[in-house]
CSV table of all heavy atoms in Angstrom, one decimal:
chain,number,residue,atom,x,y,z
A,189,PHE,N,1.2,4.1,-2.8
A,189,PHE,CA,1.0,5.5,-2.5
A,189,PHE,C,2.1,6.4,-3.0
A,189,PHE,O,2.0,7.5,-3.6
A,189,PHE,CB,0.8,5.7,-1.0
A,189,PHE,CG,0.5,7.1,-0.6
A,189,PHE,CD1,-0.7,7.7,-0.8
A,189,PHE,CD2,1.5,7.8,0.1
A,189,PHE,CE1,-0.9,9.1,-0.5
A,189,PHE,CE2,1.3,9.1,0.6
A,189,PHE,CZ,0.1,9.7,0.2
A,190,LEU,N,3.4,5.9,-2.8
A,190,LEU,CA,4.6,6.7,-3.2
A,190,LEU,C,4.7,6.8,-4.7
A,190,LEU,O,5.0,7.8,-5.2
A,190,LEU,CB,5.8,6.0,-2.6
A,190,LEU,CG,6.0,6.1,-1.1
A,190,LEU,CD1,7.2,5.3,-0.7
A,190,LEU,CD2,6.1,7.5,-0.6
A,191,ARG,N,4.3,5.7,-5.4
A,191,ARG,CA,4.3,5.7,-6.9
A,191,ARG,C,3.3,6.8,-7.4
A,191,ARG,O,3.5,7.5,-8.3
A,191,ARG,CB,4.0,4.4,-7.4
A,191,ARG,CG,5.1,3.4,-7.3
A,191,ARG,CD,4.9,2.2,-8.2
A,191,ARG,NE,3.8,1.4,-7.8
A,191,ARG,CZ,3.7,0.4,-7.0
A,191,ARG,NH1,4.9,0.1,-6.3
A,191,ARG,NH2,2.6,-0.3,-6.7
A,192,ILE,N,2.1,6.8,-6.7
A,192,ILE,CA,1.1,7.8,-7.1
A,192,ILE,C,1.6,9.2,-6.9
A,192,ILE,O,1.4,10.1,-7.7
A,192,ILE,CB,-0.2,7.6,-6.4
A,192,ILE,CG1,-0.9,6.2,-6.8
A,192,ILE,CG2,-1.2,8.7,-6.5
A,192,ILE,CD1,-2.1,5.8,-6.0
A,193,LEU,N,2.2,9.5,-5.7
A,193,LEU,CA,2.8,10.8,-5.4
A,193,LEU,C,3.8,11.2,-6.5
A,193,LEU,O,3.9,12.3,-6.9
A,193,LEU,CB,3.4,10.8,-4.0
A,193,LEU,CG,2.4,10.8,-2.9
A,193,LEU,CD1,3.2,10.8,-1.5
A,193,LEU,CD2,1.5,12.1,-2.9
A,194,THR,N,4.6,10.2,-6.9
A,194,THR,CA,5.6,10.5,-7.9
A,194,THR,C,4.9,10.9,-9.2
A,194,THR,O,5.4,11.9,-9.9
A,194,THR,CB,6.5,9.2,-8.2
A,194,THR,OG1,7.1,8.8,-7.0
A,194,THR,CG2,7.6,9.5,-9.3
A,195,LEU,N,3.9,10.2,-9.6
A,195,LEU,CA,3.1,10.6,-10.8
A,195,LEU,C,2.5,12.0,-10.7
A,195,LEU,O,2.5,12.8,-11.6
A,195,LEU,CB,2.1,9.6,-11.1
A,195,LEU,CG,2.5,8.3,-11.9
A,195,LEU,CD1,1.3,7.4,-12.0
A,195,LEU,CD2,3.0,8.7,-13.3
A,196,ILE,N,1.9,12.3,-9.5
A,196,ILE,CA,1.3,13.6,-9.3
A,196,ILE,C,2.4,14.7,-9.4
A,196,ILE,O,2.2,15.7,-10.0
A,196,ILE,CB,0.6,13.6,-7.9
A,196,ILE,CG1,-0.6,12.7,-7.9
A,196,ILE,CG2,0.2,15.0,-7.5
A,196,ILE,CD1,-1.2,12.5,-6.5
A,197,ARG,N,3.5,14.5,-8.7
A,197,ARG,CA,4.6,15.4,-8.8
A,197,ARG,C,5.0,15.7,-10.3
A,197,ARG,O,5.3,16.8,-10.7
A,197,ARG,CB,5.8,15.0,-8.0
A,197,ARG,CG,7.0,15.9,-8.0
A,197,ARG,CD,8.1,15.4,-7.1
A,197,ARG,NE,9.2,16.3,-7.1
A,197,ARG,CZ,10.2,16.3,-7.9
A,197,ARG,NH1,10.2,15.3,-8.9
A,197,ARG,NH2,11.2,17.1,-7.9
A,198,LYS,N,5.1,14.6,-11.0
A,198,LYS,CA,5.5,14.7,-12.4
A,198,LYS,C,4.5,15.5,-13.3
A,198,LYS,O,4.9,16.4,-14.0
A,198,LYS,CB,5.7,13.3,-13.1
A,198,LYS,CG,5.8,13.3,-14.6
A,198,LYS,CD,5.7,11.8,-15.1
A,198,LYS,CE,5.5,11.8,-16.6
A,198,LYS,NZ,4.2,12.4,-17.0
A,199,GLU,N,3.2,15.2,-13.0
A,199,GLU,CA,2.2,16.0,-13.7
A,199,GLU,C,2.2,17.5,-13.4
A,199,GLU,O,2.0,18.3,-14.2
A,199,GLU,CB,0.8,15.4,-13.5
A,199,GLU,CG,0.6,14.0,-14.1
A,199,GLU,CD,0.6,14.1,-15.7
A,199,GLU,OE1,0.0,15.1,-16.2
A,199,GLU,OE2,1.2,13.3,-16.3
A,200,LEU,N,2.3,17.8,-12.1
A,200,LEU,CA,2.4,19.1,-11.7
A,200,LEU,C,3.5,19.9,-12.2
A,200,LEU,O,3.5,21.1,-12.6
A,200,LEU,CB,2.3,19.2,-10.1
A,200,LEU,CG,1.0,18.8,-9.5
A,200,LEU,CD1,1.1,18.9,-8.0
A,200,LEU,CD2,-0.1,19.8,-9.9
A,201,LEU,N,4.7,19.2,-12.3
A,201,LEU,CA,5.9,19.9,-12.9
A,201,LEU,C,5.6,20.1,-14.3
A,201,LEU,O,6.1,21.2,-14.8
A,201,LEU,CB,7.1,18.9,-12.7
A,201,LEU,CG,7.7,18.9,-11.3
A,201,LEU,CD1,8.8,17.8,-11.2
A,201,LEU,CD2,8.2,20.2,-10.8
A,202,VAL,N,5.0,19.2,-15.0
A,202,VAL,CA,4.8,19.4,-16.5
A,202,VAL,C,3.8,20.6,-16.7
A,202,VAL,O,4.0,21.5,-17.6
A,202,VAL,CB,4.2,18.2,-17.1
A,202,VAL,CG1,3.6,18.5,-18.5
A,202,VAL,CG2,5.2,17.1,-17.1
A,203,ILE,N,2.8,20.7,-15.8
A,203,ILE,CA,1.8,21.8,-15.9
A,203,ILE,C,2.4,23.2,-15.5
A,203,ILE,O,2.2,24.2,-16.1
A,203,ILE,CB,0.6,21.5,-15.0
A,203,ILE,CG1,-0.1,20.2,-15.6
A,203,ILE,CG2,-0.4,22.7,-15.0
A,203,ILE,CD1,-1.2,19.7,-14.6
Side-chain angles (χ1 to χ4, degrees):
F189 180 71
L190 292 176
R191 288 195 295 270
I192 291 173
L193 285 181
T194 302
L195 278 175
I196 293 173
R197 180 176 179 274
K198 167 188 167 295
E199 288 295 317
L200 288 175
L201 286 174
V202 170
I203 296 171

